[in-house]
Amino acid sequence: MLLPRLPAHVLNGITVALGIGLLQLLFTGLAGAPAAQLAVSGAIFASLADLPTTASRSWGRVLAAGLLGTLAALVIAALRPWPAAVGLAIALLSFGSMLCLAWGPRAGPMSFAALLSIVFTMAHPPAPDPLAAALHLAGWHLAGALAYLAWSQGVLALLQRHYRSLALAAALRATARLLGSRAALLDQAPSPAEAQELPTWLRDEAQLAERLQAARDLLFAAPDTPRARRETAMLLRAIDLRDILLASRLDLELLGGDALARRVRAAVAARLLAMAAELERAADRLQGAGLRAAPPPSFADVQLAALRAEPDDPRARLLPALIDRLRHLDEDVGQIRSLLDGADAALPLTPQELRLFVAPEGWPLAALRGHLSLASPVLRHALRFGLALGTAYAIALALPWASHPQWLVLSVAVVLRGNLEQTLARRNERVGGTLLGCLLVLGLAQLPGESWLSLVFLVAVGIAHGFVVERYLLTAIAATVMALLQQHLVHPAAGFPVAERLADTLLGALLAWAFSYVLPSWERRLLPAAIARARQALRAYAHQALASEGAAPQRLARRQAYDALGALGAALQRGAAEPARVRLPLREIAALLDHGQRLMAHLSMVRLMLARRGAELQDPAVHRALRAADAELQTALKGEEAMEPPPPAEAPALLPERPPAQDLKPWLLRRLRVSVHDGHQVARAAGQATRALAALQAQR
């Protein structure tokens, strides 16, 4: 069957288009085509918040999107005779919509519903009685939105189990991509901070974090069934894979840069790529597109001649530790394969503990109060957004083709993002997508008849909805087709004003680009807080990893540390696109991120040693070393950087003589020493980044 093979975003787009099509047929049969078109508009802006999630999360979002869209339509339709009032309303509604982002990314689709409603409402010709027309339009919009809410709840109930499997498959694919980008780093450069592939690694890290959280939200709240337990266990294994993968780079600098070092790095990279391929096959099976294959050769059967050195070479002491890490990665991948084959799942967390990792869903007003200051990037973007859309409407009225001012407003709305990097990316994709969409509509206009236009419109709705996150260029193409067809279906006499659409898109992209410099939220404003958050998160994870206070607190602290370092990585990427006069000290932040990830890897290795072989480490000396390392890390990460230089990295000859499989204690004690060393390096790098930022600001 084809349906199970589709990714979640494609399946979601299909169900959205199917639901809107069925509602169009329903309302056409009940009230006629004009009323049906109004109801369909309400269903479309309500559908923006219909995403692959749980029904309990979805209904509030879809309802809020429908209500916000209906309210915006009512206001704009009632004010149509007064252009100045319409412009003011657009600015205020846009400001309020973007202020909703105070509740986080989950409010994004809901906030855009009001903007899409403005565009749809302005596509209708003015009416003699604006208030009556506004009530009529809003009533049908609300009816369509409520009908779509019922549809979306039914679809989510039907597909919930399938969406859980697809979310897990997406998480496994993201893990496989991260394995691939890590392999590229290992195979190309001795230091990730210097590798050309670092941006790819950061993007893959960010995507994995999103996929893992989406899977947590679906799987950790699922009913307790054997299938759900197996999928939850697979997800937990994938999360642990991230830890060992991060540790795959540790100690490789001790190998140097000769032929042996290159051979070892290449062997580790090749093994990571093999594991990535295995995870891809597991994701295929979860989606129903793969057949059960024979298990790959076990790790012991794989030729690892590249991971060998001459007996008198001191680096030979390190190679068993590298092999041990690869074995742990192989074991986790093998566990995922076994669970997929139906093995029993033993979960390390209770259902109540699992729900601690589900993202919050409430809409507390306290979140808004925290952003009522010009220091808030959310408030600055909301003000910028409102000014930009109000200005776009005023300019549109003065243009020779002012019959469609909503298109210029829409172009600015979809291009202008919260930071310059995303705005530039959207600008290019929007212009290219609009051009291709207009060419497609010109081709469609040459076909005889118009009865099929509604079908094309529904297909465009599904594509625009399904690919808005995955491939925005496809969304831009489909949205252009949807906008032109929606205008034509509402007002057929207007034809297909393709030239105006192109001109509005180009002008809108330029306006959005220009408004990126109005009340900008340059990354340097947020950097000190991001550094402080990263240090605090690393402190908390260090304590949990070394104190062993329970699996759930450890995992919570680990996720918060990953999130904090991810925020630094995102700032690094966004800052690279900013003007040189306000650009961040990129080298210093990269160094901080590098040392922070190294510390995370050290701590995760310690945690895994204690979890997997804790019985071998029941020694008073080990417990004292754990407490001492915890205390020193707490001091280093909390206070100022040490003034004396950190101790140099150890030589291979100083590594423990016996491999970890035979005697783990000296390797654990060594790991604690290098953890403390990297903790001091984090503090040093944080201080250097802060001073570099202050120096750059003083020069301007």
Side-chain angles (χ1 to χ4, degrees):
M1 187 168 65
L2 178 62
L3 187 60
R5 302 183 183 186
L6 298 173
H9 65 277
V10 176
L11 180 58
N12 181 226
I14 290 174
T15 60
V16 167
L18 181 61
I20 290 174
L22 292 175
L23 292 180
Q24 186 172 37
L25 292 175
L26 174 65
F27 280 100
T28 299
L30 293 176
Q37 193 61 41
L38 296 178
V40 163
S41 295
I44 289 174
F45 53 69
S47 72
L48 295 179
D50 180 17
L51 301 173
T53 184
T54 60
S56 60
R57 286 175 171 267
S58 179
W59 78 267
R61 301 181 187 184
V62 174
L63 179 60
L67 293 176
L68 286 175
T70 299
L71 176 62
L74 180 63
V75 171
I76 297 299
L79 297 176
R80 284 295 293 277
W82 304 281
V86 171
L88 179 61
I90 289 174
L92 293 176
L93 288 169
S94 303
F95 168 78
S97 296
M98 290 302 105
L99 200 57
C100 291
L101 295 179
W103 285 298
R106 69 180 186 273
M110 182 184 74
S111 68
F112 198 76
L115 304 175
L116 190 61
S117 176
I118 291 172
V119 174
F120 281 7
T121 303
M122 293 175 66
H124 294 273
D129 186 349
L131 182 57
L135 293 173
H136 175 77
L137 180 145
W140 283 112
H141 278 357
L142 183 59
L146 293 176
Y148 185 83
L149 173 62
W151 164 264
S152 67
Q153 288 292 288
V155 168
L156 280 175
L158 182 65
L159 297 179
Q160 188 64 202
R161 192 173 73 170
H162 189 56
Y163 274 147
R164 290 198 292 267
S165 297
L166 293 180
L168 176 58
L172 293 181
R173 291 193 193 281
T175 305
R177 280 191 291 272
L178 193 63
L179 281 162
S181 57
R182 172 52 68 188
L185 282 176
L186 292 173
D187 204 20
Q188 292 185 14
S191 171
E194 299 172 2
Q196 292 182 352
E197 292 294 326
L198 181 60
T200 300
W201 165 259
L202 292 176
R203 284 193 296 270
D204 290 344
E205 273 274 12
Q207 187 180 70
L208 176 59
E210 293 175 1
R211 297 290 190 269
L212 289 177
Q213 190 56 53
R216 289 188 191 104
D217 292 343
L218 279 163
L219 289 169
F220 290 178
D224 188 14
T225 64
R227 173 173 171 164
R229 284 195 297 273
R230 285 195 301 271
E231 291 180 339
T232 298
M234 281 188 269
L235 179 60
L236 292 173
R237 285 287 181 179
I239 293 171
D240 287 340
L241 265 174
R242 188 184 189 185
D243 276 351
I244 308 175
L245 175 60
L246 192 62
S248 64
R249 57 170 293 199
L250 294 177
D251 306 322
L252 291 180
E253 68 277 2
L254 301 179
L255 293 172
D258 62 359
L260 172 65
R262 292 192 296 272
R263 196 166 66 243
V264 170
R265 294 171 68 87
V268 174
R271 195 63 194 167
L272 294 183
L273 290 175
M275 296 176 198
E278 181 68 14
L279 290 178
E280 289 282 0
R281 286 192 290 271
D284 286 341
R285 289 181 59 187
L286 282 166
Q287 289 186 232
L291 299 176
R292 180 177 300 186
S298 66
F299 191 85
D301 298 333
V302 175
Q303 179 56 255
L304 293 173
L307 296 181
R308 294 176 184 170
E310 296 297 328
D312 58 348
D313 190 331
R315 295 175 295 179
R317 299 184 179 187
L318 176 62
L319 300 184
L322 299 181
I323 293 175
D324 196 48
R325 292 177 205 164
L326 293 177
R327 287 185 192 279
H328 286 315
L329 280 168
D330 252 23
E331 289 170 3
D332 281 337
V333 173
Q335 284 292 325
I336 290 174
R337 183 174 59 250
S338 298
L339 289 165
L340 198 55
D341 289 337
D344 292 335
L347 299 180
L349 301 175
T350 66
Q352 293 75 21
E353 290 174 328
L354 288 172
R355 288 185 175 88
L356 295 174
F357 297 86
V358 176
E361 180 58 22
W363 309 94
L365 292 178
L368 283 176
R369 289 196 295 270
H371 290 279
L372 298 181
S373 165
L374 277 179
S376 165
V378 171
L379 181 63
R380 294 173 75 88
H381 178 56
L383 290 169
R384 181 191 317 126
F385 200 81
L387 289 171
L389 266 63
T391 302
Y393 178 75
I395 292 175
L397 294 181
L399 292 173
W401 58 86
S403 57
H404 303 99
Q406 71 273 15
W407 286 352
L408 184 58
V409 171
L410 177 63
S411 296
V412 175
V414 297
V415 171
L416 184 57
R417 303 289 91 190
N419 59 77
L420 182 60
E421 183 215 23
Q422 293 177 353
T423 297
L424 293 176
R426 276 290 182 94
R427 178 197 64 186
N428 299 337
E429 290 179 317
R430 186 68 186 184
V431 171
T434 299
L435 176 60
L436 294 174
C438 287
L439 292 175
L440 183 58
V441 169
L442 283 176
L444 293 173
Q446 307 305 313
L447 300 178
E450 293 194 352
S451 58
W452 45 269
L453 289 181
S454 294
L455 179 60
V456 175
F457 175 77
L458 293 175
V459 172
V461 168
I463 294 175
H465 182 93
F467 289 92
V468 66
V469 174
E470 300 294 331
R471 296 189 64 184
Y472 184 74
L473 180 61
L474 289 179
T475 290
I477 295 171
T480 299
V481 173
M482 182 178 72
L484 288 169
L485 291 183
Q486 195 267 351
Q487 172 75 30
H488 182 74
L489 292 172
V490 170
H491 190 37
F496 296 100
V498 170
E500 295 177 22
R501 187 75 182 94
L502 280 172
D504 284 332
T505 298
L506 290 172
L507 181 56
L510 289 174
L511 278 173
W513 185 18
F515 269 93
S516 295
Y517 296 88
V518 176
L519 291 174
S521 297
W522 303 127
E523 293 301 321
R524 64 181 183 180
R525 291 176 175 269
L526 307 176
L527 182 62
I531 291 176
R533 179 189 172 205
R535 293 177 67 163
Q536 175 57 34
L538 288 171
R539 283 183 66 223
Y541 183 48
H543 178 68
Q544 290 296 337
L546 301 178
S548 301
E549 295 184 353
Q554 283 182 354
R555 288 174 176 270
L556 280 171
R558 177 181 63 177
R559 187 185 68 172
Q560 291 166 357
Y562 273 127
D563 289 346
L565 292 177
L568 278 178
L572 183 68
Q573 286 191 280
R574 294 192 300 262
E578 293 180 346
R581 60 184 176 83
V582 296
R583 193 166 297 165
L584 293 174
L586 301 181
R587 183 181 300 275
E588 287 78 2
I589 299 173
L592 172 58
L593 183 63
D594 186 31
H595 288 299
Q597 289 188 332
R598 287 178 62 87
L599 178 57
M600 281 286 294
H602 290 312
L603 294 172
S604 294
M605 288 296 293
V606 171
R607 187 180 64 82
L608 291 171
M609 288 179 187
L610 296 173
R612 296 184 176 187
R613 298 173 63 181
E616 304 173 34
L617 300 171
Q618 296 302 316
D619 185 317
V622 170
H623 294 307
R624 287 195 298 271
L626 288 169
R627 289 194 297 270
D630 183 19
E632 190 163 354
L633 282 171
Q634 296 303 309
T635 301
L637 293 170
K638 181 179 181 180
E640 297 296 327
E641 58 174 308
M643 296 307 296
E644 68 276 3
E650 58 191 342
L654 299 179
L655 293 173
E657 293 185 9
R658 301 176 68 188
Q662 298 178 15
D663 188 2
L664 186 61
K665 177 182 172 180
W667 288 93
L668 173 65
L669 296 177
R670 172 188 173 270
R671 186 64 59 198
L672 293 176
R673 290 195 301 273
V674 293
S675 298
V676 170
H677 169 260
D678 266 304
H680 284 287
Q681 291 283 51
V682 168
R684 175 174 293 273
Q688 290 173 343
T690 302
R691 287 195 299 273
L693 178 63
L696 289 174
Q697 291 176 331
Q699 295 173 5
R700 301 177 187 119

